[in-house]
Amino acid sequence: MSKVKVNTRNSLFVKILLISLICMTVPMTFSLLYANDSVSKTLYKESAGSVAAIASEKRSEIDLAVGQIMDQSVSIASQPYIVDYINGTGQPGGSPGVVEARIADYLEDVVKASNGLYENMFIVGLEGTILIDGIGGGSTGSSVGGAARSWLKEAGANNGSAITETAQQSPVTGRPVITNAVIIPGVTEGNPAGLLVTSVDLGELAGKVNQNGSGSELKTMLVNGAGLVVSAAEPEYILTLDLSKQQGDLFDYYNGFKTSQAGSGTFTLEGVRYISAYEKSGIQDVYAVSYTPMSKYTEKAEELNHKLIFVMLAAILLFSLIITGFARSVTKPIAAGSAYLMEMAAGNWRIEIPVRYMNKKDETGLLMRSVHQMQQSLREAIGTVKQESDRLKENVDTAKGSISELNGQIRTVSEITQEMSASTEETAAAAEELRFMAREAEAAVQAMAENAVRGAADSRSIYTRALGLKEGTEQSKERAAFLLQTLKENLNSAIAHSQSVHRINLLVQTILGIVSQTNILALNAGIEAVRAGETGKSFAVIAGEIRKLAQQSGSSAAEIREVTADVLQAVDDLTHCSREAILFMDQTVLEDYELLVRSGEQYYRDAAFFEELLDTFSQAAGEIRTSIHGMAVSIGEITLVNSQFARDTGLIAEQANGILQQSVVVAGTAGQTEESAEELRNGIARFRV
């Protein structure tokens, strides 16, 4: 069995594999994109949340440190000797110079103990002059101008202690500082006597925060309300980086400070993209901004994306192997079935479908079982058609032989009839002569007496010919009866055998029924394929091929039916013509022969009577006239009978010729029937069952 070659692009296996891979790859690709997006968003949220937590933590640390500074400043401002000094009450046993030195030493100790946190701590009078400082008198005697009144006002509004101004550059050290002013109470309750002012170095204040961020990817900077960086892990940013003067996303990020106390976002600084979060201090106008490079987040996202892509490719490979096995299990029996159907279409019905394909429980098994059933049914039908076509050929050969024999017999009958017609004409002529002689005898009795001996001889001759005519007519009648009986038996046998042709029509009807069932099966398979959707499209193609094969089988069966109809029509015509010939011979020829026999007998009796009359002619001369008159009458009747017999014999000859022509037509029809049977045999010869 040859394999069916299918274009790779049209292969059902390739289609199933491609559709399955597309149906698997497209959702997985969308899932991967969605997962990447979700992972990216999740990582971004986690990174932003982590940075926001750090910013909040640093802001809390700064606020806690500032709060501690403020508490310490309040505690120092409440010291009795400082209060007494600023109010001028002094202390027993101490001079003002000693008190100032003591306070100065104390403040200097506090400044030194802060390890650089305090740039300076000094006492300011209400008029704005620095009375005592903690840096060895470096600022003593200088005036802060109108700042004293501002500090006093702000501190009075905040329970006596306040961060009086936003972070700014120190005029002494050039470093960013914030100022904490605490009211020194006066003698009269509610009236201030002066201010204890602490200048706090923001760099040192945020040192712990910046130290934690230094050397790592997560960093923190302090930005004042005006957008100036007052503290950062990178020294080059301090008091030089002003966010309010930047462009792009960094400026947009700074604008967020104006709308919320805390937030998160991204910005680009010196070509590096950062994820950042900010939170404003609850004590001062300073923002703690924590930030980390976005590359850390993107690296994690890319790593996770690579893992997802690897998992997806592994899944596609695994599913491809599974789908390949499944597609082969589906397409292999279909391909085998197509090969078997191609062999059957080529006329080879001897092949057997493997049992393993028919034992499958799915639709391919049903298809193979249906093809096997169709194969068995058509094999039986084709075998029957072959057998009946052979039998039809034998019947046609027999009919042709019988018709040939009938033609020979009809030719014999025609020749005999022509001879009888010639004899009858001669007899009529002889009768005419006898009538003429009888007239002459009646006119001249004497001459008749003299010629009595010659009349007796002529009478003997007539008697002999009448006897021959009688015997020949009886023999012809017997031969015609025998011919008619033989013809009846042969034609009845041929007609009986020709009825087997009708079985071909029944077989053709059976084939058309099988074709109709195959069409219905193919249609149901197409409907089921449509219901199955995309998976069922391949089965729709197979159902269409089966339907085409069924249509081709139906066309062949229709041609067989047309040929069978021609054969049946030819057999019916042959039967009809043969029956008409038999009826004609039975009703006309035999009756004419019967009439001829009766006429011969009558002619024989008349001849005997004429001979007897001549024998007694010499004994009854007186009765000659009467006898001659009776002879003339008898001869006239013989003449009439012979004339009628001649006409009937001619009619029989014509009818015999007509029968012969009809027999030739029947022989031609039998030849056509033989040709039709041969065409039928040739048509089914290509089927090997």
Side-chain angles (χ1 to χ4, degrees), residues 52-281:
I54 296 299
S56 178
E57 179 183 354
K58 299 309 179 184
R59 189 271 308 165
S60 299
E61 291 178 357
I62 293 173
D63 286 348
L64 179 61
V66 172
Q68 291 175 351
I69 293 172
M70 293 177 67
D71 292 340
Q72 185 181 21
S73 298
V74 170
S75 175
I76 293 173
S78 301
Q79 294 294 328
Y81 55 89
I82 293 178
V83 174
D84 290 342
Y85 166 76
I86 199 66
N87 286 293
T89 58
Q91 292 184 355
S95 63
V98 174
V99 173
E100 288 179 358
R102 179 183 177 186
I103 294 173
D105 291 339
Y106 175 70
L107 295 179
E108 187 174 351
D109 290 339
V110 172
V111 171
K112 291 180 179 180
S114 68
N115 295 322
L117 178 62
Y118 297 155
E119 182 188 69
N120 191 9
M121 181 177 288
F122 54 89
I123 297 174
V124 181
L126 294 178
E127 72 282 3
T129 301
I130 297 176
L131 302 176
I132 303 173
D133 63 20
I135 56 174
S139 61
T140 302
S142 63
S143 176
V144 296
R149 289 190 297 271
S150 176
W151 291 343
L152 185 63
K153 183 179 179 180
E154 291 182 15
N158 291 280
N159 297 323
S161 178
I163 301 297
T164 59
E165 57 189 17
T166 187
Q168 59 184 355
Q169 187 176 5
S170 170
V172 178
T173 63
R175 293 171 60 83
V177 295
I178 58 173
T179 301
N180 176 224
V182 180
I183 296 175
I184 301 174
V187 177
T188 305
E189 186 177 354
N191 293 323
L195 293 171
L196 176 66
V197 180
T198 305
S199 181
V200 181
D201 189 332
L202 277 178
E204 294 295 331
L205 177 64
K208 184 178 181 180
V209 175
N210 294 331
Q211 185 177 4
N212 290 340
S214 178
S216 65
E217 295 182 344
L218 181 61
K219 302 176 182 179
T220 302
M221 67 173 63
L222 298 180
V223 182
N224 63 13
L228 183 65
V229 176
V230 295
S231 178
E234 297 86 349
E236 64 270 18
Y237 293 159
I238 299 174
L239 299 178
T240 60
L241 179 61
D242 190 349
L243 302 186
S244 64
K245 296 180 181 179
Q246 301 300 312
Q247 295 179 352
D249 56 359
L250 185 56
F251 179 74
D252 296 335
Y253 183 79
Y254 163 71
N255 286 333
F257 294 176
K258 302 176 182 179
T259 59
S260 61
Q261 299 293 320
S264 62
T266 60
F267 63 81
T268 303
L269 181 60
E270 295 184 353
V272 180
R273 187 79 170 169
Y274 293 96
I275 299 176
S276 177
Y278 65 88
E279 190 165 342
K280 185 178 182 181
S281 172

Side-chain angles (χ1 to χ4, degrees), residues 533-546:
E534 293 295 327
T535 308
K537 285 186 177 180
S538 59
F539 298 111
V541 174
I542 298 172
E545 294 299 326
I546 294 176

Side-chain angles (χ1 to χ4, degrees), residues 1 329 332-333 336 340 352-362 364-366 368-369:
M1 183 184 66
S329 66
K332 186 175 182 181
Y340 288 118
E352 296 294 337
I353 298 176
V355 179
R356 66 177 183 276
Y357 291 145
M358 292 189 292
N359 289 338
K360 286 183 173 293
K361 303 300 182 182
D362 54 9
T364 58
L366 178 61
M368 289 300 183
R369 291 192 293 274

Side-chain angles (χ1 to χ4, degrees), residues 392 396 399 491 494-502 505 563-581 662 665-666 669-670 672-673:
L392 176 62
V396 170
L491 287 178
I495 290 171
H497 289 155
S498 66
Q499 297 302 317
S500 61
V501 179
H502 291 277
N505 192 28
V563 172
T564 304
D566 294 338
V567 173
L568 291 175
Q569 184 63 38
V571 171
D572 291 338
D573 293 340
L574 174 61
T575 302
H576 179 71
C577 293
S578 300
R579 286 177 176 173
E580 286 183 352
Q662 292 294 329
V665 173
V666 171
T669 303
Q672 294 177 357
T673 303

